[in-house]
Amino acid sequence: CTGALLNDYQSSRTPYFLTAAHCISTQTLASALETDWFYTSSSCGSNSLSPTSVNLRNGAQLLYSSANPDVTLLKLNDVPPAGAYFLGWDSNPVPSNSSVVGVHHPDGGLQKISIGVTPSRASCSPVEGSFNCSIGGNTGNYYYVQWSQGLTQPGSSGSPLFYQGLVTGVLSAASDASCPASNAVSVYPSVNSVFSELRKWLVDANAKPNPDSARVPIYRFYNTQTGTHFFTANATERDQLIATNTVFQYENIV
């Protein structure tokens, strides 16, 4: 599945992570979460993985999960790698016939982008591993998206829908991936439909002044050859060691 790192109202850099509930809905699954960052092509038109890609394996805390609307919010146990963006979001409904963009990892592959419009809303419910949707009107909890460029596939689930540069939905389901893009559609639960629940983290959780605001994370590595430890506060140095030095075993934040 795909997910999105969200900013909160105070820009506290708490690693809130938005995805679909049919991807992760229990703490057991959240604890086993691995995340891949910068999982993109090395250059435009290339099928090779960027050397900046980073894999993190320390799981997450399940904060909220709802089968319908199909939304899960996590808090990652790892600090996101240097260069990762905390995405803005918009809890207001998206107007009909608006231009939208999806960023996702179809079939678990390299990052792709799709461009489309939201001609209407949809009311959806999960049925035997899929979703049954009634399309039409302006009141459903899901955005119905018709693609003009690109489409979504399995692996794209949980990916963010962007309207005017802000996250406004989370991918739940799509039409058969064999369709041409001109016929491909997807449905996204709206951030608006679950915001009354999500706001306790995205707005309220860090509203009070933090007496420890000057603290920074310290990362620890274990040297498997000498039995000693190495500490750094530099996230770039941390990521370089994880990627290139097998002698040092990463032990997370201390």
Side-chain angles (χ1 to χ4, degrees):
C1 285
T2 306
L5 181 67
L6 292 188
N7 200 6
D8 62 16
Y9 195 71
Q10 291 77 28
S11 294
S12 69
R13 300 185 69 82
T14 302
Y16 295 120
F17 194 76
L18 188 70
T19 189
H22 77 264
C23 295
I24 294 179
S25 59
T26 67
Q27 182 56 55
T28 299
L29 290 172
S31 297
L33 175 69
E34 292 189 23
T35 53
D36 290 287
W37 304 79
F38 315 120
Y39 203 77
T40 63
S41 59
S42 57
S43 61
C44 186
S46 170
N47 288 322
S48 60
L49 177 63
S50 169
T52 63
S53 180
V54 176
N55 174 263
L56 302 178
R57 306 180 180 182
N58 285 298
Q61 177 185 349
L62 183 71
L63 301 178
Y64 171 81
S65 188
S66 166
N68 189 33
D70 179 28
V71 176
T72 283
L73 183 69
L74 307 168
K75 184 170 75 171
L76 301 178
N77 293 330
D78 279 305
V79 173
Y85 283 89
F86 288 77
L87 298 172
W89 42 265
D90 189 350
S91 61
N92 294 307
V94 174
S96 296
N97 296 309
S98 296
S99 297
V100 290
V101 171
V103 179
H104 53 101
H105 294 271
D107 285 337
L110 301 179
Q111 181 176 283
K112 300 294 190 297
I113 186 170
S114 302
I115 300 172
V117 296
T118 55
S120 66
R121 303 286 283 273
S123 297
C124 301
S125 57
V127 178
E128 297 180 353
S130 185
F131 283 83
N132 184 23
C133 297
S134 174
I135 310 300
N138 300 311
T139 59
N141 288 341
Y142 291 67
Y143 295 120
Y144 178 72
V145 178
Q146 290 183 326
W147 300 114
S148 57
Q149 298 181 52
L151 43 70
T152 60
Q153 295 176 308
S156 303
S157 290
S159 61
L161 181 71
F162 291 90
Y163 170 63
Q164 295 184 343
L166 300 174
V167 176
T168 192
V170 186
L171 180 65
S172 283
S175 60
D176 192 323
S178 65
C179 292
S182 58
N183 295 328
V185 298
S186 302
V187 290
Y188 290 76
S190 66
V191 169
N192 172 263
S193 67
V194 292
F195 190 69
S196 61
E197 298 291 339
L198 300 188
R199 68 168 294 129
K200 67 183 68 174
W201 295 284
L202 299 182
V203 176
D204 302 331
N206 299 291
K208 296 180 181 179
N210 182 3
D212 296 325
S213 60
R215 298 177 68 188
V216 296
I218 302 296
Y219 313 105
R220 181 172 69 184
F221 289 83
Y222 175 69
N223 189 317
T224 57
Q225 291 184 350
T226 65
T228 59
H229 285 88
F230 172 74
F231 299 84
T232 179
N234 187 313
T236 301
E237 186 173 36
R238 174 202 64 186
D239 295 342
Q240 184 177 13
L241 277 175
I242 291 173
T244 64
N245 198 319
T246 58
V247 172
F248 288 95
Q249 179 179 314
Y250 181 47
E251 295 186 332
N252 215 345
I253 298 171
V254 294

